[in-house]
Amino acid sequence: MRETTNAAKSTDHKGGKDNADRVIIFDTTLRDGEQSPGASMTLPEKLKIAELLDEMGIDIIEAGFPIASNGDFECVHEIAKRAKNSVVCGLARAHFKDIDRAGEALKPARAGRIHTFISTSPVHMKYKLRMEPEAVLEAVTASVERARKYTDDVEWSAEDATRTEHDFLCRCVEAAIKAGAGTINIPDTVGYTVPEEYFNLIKMLHERVPGADKVIFSTHCHNDLGMAVANSLAGVRAGARQVECTVNGIGERAGNAAMEEVVMAINTRNDVLPYWTGIDTTKIMRASKLVSSITAFPVQYNKAIVGKNAFAHESGIHQDGMLKHTQTYEIMRPESIGLTESSLVMGKLSGRAAFGAKLKELGYELDDASFQDAFRRFKDLADKKKHIYDEDIVALVDDHFQDPEQGVKVLSLTVIAGTSGPQKATLTLEIDGRHETREATGSGPVDAVFNAIKAIVPHDARLALYQVSAVTEGTDAQAEVLVRLEEENFTSMGRSADIDTLVASARAYVSALNRLINRRKKAKPEIAAAL
Ligand code: KIV
Ligand code: ZN
């Protein structure tokens, strides 16, 4: 890894804006976001997300936790090789073996950061670390110094900072700064703080810690009380200049501060939040959809900025106002986040060039093989469905991005349903190249399909969610199916869309099953438990 300057200090003076007001956006979708129950991603999926984050102006991409598994190491290493603009970051506990592994993973980075952390709250030190405060303090210095052997760009985090005694937090932050950390992160690990309190905490650290003016303070707020974004912005008002966040706010438990909310709040309310970021906001919608489809985590309909209803006006009074002037009820333009009018696109006569142009307009860049596959499936869909909308194309392409590492695939399905039961499914799966067919009955056609899958691939996972929604209007709409499976410590999500609800159901179930199998193979429980 080449020596790098701290990203915060290297920000440029853009369009007359003052660098002192620049807020660095540190995206941890691929690390903290992946810690959402069921949100595990494969390497190609993570690369796809990282590529978009890099393109849209994310300053720092936290790509993983290299010591956690070979998969995480490989992911950080590969993103480090590929990122063109963003600093790539690897997480490490305060252990030398973690830090060395992160340093190794980041070697090819144009600009790499090691992010090392240790808990500082009484409850974490006593029960989780079983360490005395003085030993924690020593570990702070030792870990930061070790990380500085690999890069100039070191971030140190006080895990559970918001429940840490102030005097001790000040001592730890001072030690980290003295040892060479350029960024000091103050996580609200358990989503416990409130804006006023978090503001005062960041302000207190600025005022009391020697050397605080030489480093960048960072926020990292979890959303357990629904205040992650408000707390992060309070931190910025108190002087923090880095916000750690995730696309769609995914993350442990209730998630992290949502990147799109932080960025759009700063853009929209610049009168009271006079800061700026380097994010190309027109790519926000694309990032939201990509993360949602890859993780199979649906975005709640009324989610701020990227929810399906965020720009929809249903009531007569609102619609009337909107028709007279958009600013009556709209505080942001939908185009500013890359939301375009849903349009009727193409039919079965549309050719490759038109399809390619549409993909580009929707923000997709596919390699040749993926393009050919998407085009073939578009033609299949156009044979069955008269009107094809942008949403249909998005569902079709996103299906392709779903677990490319499929060990199990749905080859064919026939279902007998109706009033005269029992409902019966005949299913053929391909498992690592081998074909297997089974018949199964069930209480309804969906149950019959899932029973057929279980007959071919026996497993104990429990079906925790089965959800169907229509991608567009009309009785010929594609059905989008979400499936969540739970098994001991693992949860996995699967998503698929098809004109046939039962085919989409089978594919979504199999996708969740593939993820469960992959996750089982990769897991290193002792590391997961340490987080
Ligand atoms: O929430 C947290 O404290 C974290 C740390 C590892 C930064 O994610
Ligand atoms: Zn976190």
Side-chain angles (χ1 to χ4, degrees), residues 31-32 91 115 117 157 159-160 185 187-189 220 222 244 531:
R31 197 279 298 170
D32 219 338
L91 183 70
H115 173 194
F117 71 100
S157 281
E159 191 183 6
D160 206 16
N185 187 32
D188 182 27
T189 304
H220 179 109
H222 280 268
E244 301 198 354
L531 267 178

Side-chain angles (χ1 to χ4, degrees), residues 355 367-378 396 400:
F355 183 65
D367 59 41
D368 196 44
S370 303
F371 177 83
Q372 298 305 343
D373 180 61
F375 185 66
R376 182 185 51 71
R377 286 182 305 117
F378 160 68
L396 180 144
H400 175 82

Side-chain angles (χ1 to χ4, degrees), residues 226-240:
M227 286 185 272
V229 171
N231 290 335
S232 305
L233 294 171
V236 171
R237 286 198 303 105

Side-chain angles (χ1 to χ4, degrees), residues 56-84:
M56 73 189 285
I58 293 292
D59 298 287
I60 297 148
I61 300 173
E62 188 163 52
F65 183 23
I67 194 79
S69 67
N70 289 339
D72 256 47
F73 178 90
E74 205 188 331
C75 176
V76 175
H77 194 65
E78 211 39 57
I79 294 175
K81 275 191 215 157
R82 294 172 187 222
K84 296 193 183 83

Side-chain angles (χ1 to χ4, degrees), residues 2-300:
R2 259 191 25 211
E3 290 211 334
T4 60
T5 51
N6 185 305
K9 292 171 195 148
S10 68
T11 52
D12 29 83
H13 198 280
K14 253 198 199 169
K17 292 171 182 160
D18 192 341
N19 272 351
D21 301 328
R22 163 84 140 98
V23 175
I24 295 159
I25 300 295
F26 175 115
D27 183 282
T28 183
T29 306
L30 302 179
R31 197 279 298 170
D32 219 338
E34 206 203 15
Q35 288 175 220
S36 314
S40 78
M41 301 170 231
T42 62
L43 177 63
E45 290 169 342
K46 287 186 179 177
L47 294 179
K48 197 84 219 156
I49 293 175
E51 193 182 355
L52 183 56
L53 297 178
D54 188 36
E55 214 179 283
M56 73 189 285
I58 293 292
D59 298 287
I60 297 148
I61 300 173
E62 188 163 52
F65 183 23
I67 194 79
S69 67
N70 289 339
D72 256 47
F73 178 90
E74 205 188 331
C75 176
V76 175
H77 194 65
E78 211 39 57
I79 294 175
K81 275 191 215 157
R82 294 172 187 222
K84 296 193 183 83
N85 312 301
S86 312
V87 173
V88 180
C89 175
L91 183 70
R93 291 170 300 181
H95 302 320
F96 285 2
K97 64 178 187 329
D98 284 38
I99 294 164
D100 295 346
R101 194 79 176 132
E104 186 65 28
L106 289 167
K107 251 188 194 155
R110 184 188 54 82
R113 169 180 295 191
I114 296 179
H115 173 194
T116 180
F117 71 100
I118 192 164
S119 295
T120 51
S121 66
V123 63
H124 273 225
M125 289 192 292
K126 183 166 177 193
Y127 296 107
K128 178 181 142 169
L129 297 178
R130 295 202 175 93
M131 280 169 81
E132 291 300 321
E134 291 312 310
V136 168
L137 202 53
E138 277 169 26
V140 172
T141 301
S143 57
V144 173
E145 281 177 352
R146 182 76 171 196
R148 280 295 305 259
K149 291 191 191 307
Y150 294 95
T151 174
D152 284 351
D153 189 353
V154 173
E155 170 171 335
W156 177 77
S157 281
E159 191 183 6
D160 206 16
T162 52
R163 294 192 299 168
T164 298
E165 287 165 355
H166 285 190
D167 287 351
F168 185 62
L169 186 60
C170 287
R171 288 177 68 205
C172 289
V173 170
E174 185 179 350
I177 295 173
K178 274 204 183 121
T183 302
I184 301 293
N185 187 32
I186 306 299
D188 182 27
T189 304
V190 290
Y192 181 70
T193 198
V194 297
E196 183 85 8
E197 183 183 64
Y198 197 62
F199 176 94
N200 289 333
L201 181 64
I202 301 287
K203 195 160 166 278
M204 180 278 294
L205 290 168
H206 268 287
E207 286 167 359
R208 283 185 51 187
V209 177
D213 55 325
K214 306 275 183 306
V215 296
I216 296 289
F217 277 86
S218 166
T219 70
H220 179 109
C221 297
H222 280 268
N223 203 31
D224 298 63
L225 293 173
M227 286 185 272
V229 171
N231 290 335
S232 305
L233 294 171
V236 171
R237 286 198 303 105
R241 285 296 176 268
Q242 173 175 288
V243 173
E244 301 198 354
C245 47
T246 59
V247 175
N248 296 338
I250 65 168
E252 286 270 0
R253 306 179 311 278
N256 291 59
M259 180 274 287
E260 61 279 3
E261 294 179 28
V262 170
V263 170
M264 289 312 287
I266 290 176
N267 275 20
T268 308
R269 291 309 310 274
N270 213 247
D271 51 337
V272 286
L273 296 166
Y275 315 105
W276 58 285
T277 72
I279 303 298
D280 173 357
T281 62
T282 63
K283 296 210 161 60
I284 281 180
M285 205 59 213
R286 175 78 206 104
S288 167
K289 283 190 172 156
L290 184 67
V291 168
S292 167
S293 71
I294 282 179
T295 57
F297 256 57
V299 175
Q300 92 194 42

Side-chain angles (χ1 to χ4, degrees), residues 398-414:
D398 285 349
D399 243 24
H400 175 82
F401 287 140
Q402 276 257 315
D403 54 0
E405 288 175 10
Q406 287 176 335
V408 184
K409 279 187 204 141
V410 175
L411 282 192
S412 69
L413 175 69
T414 309

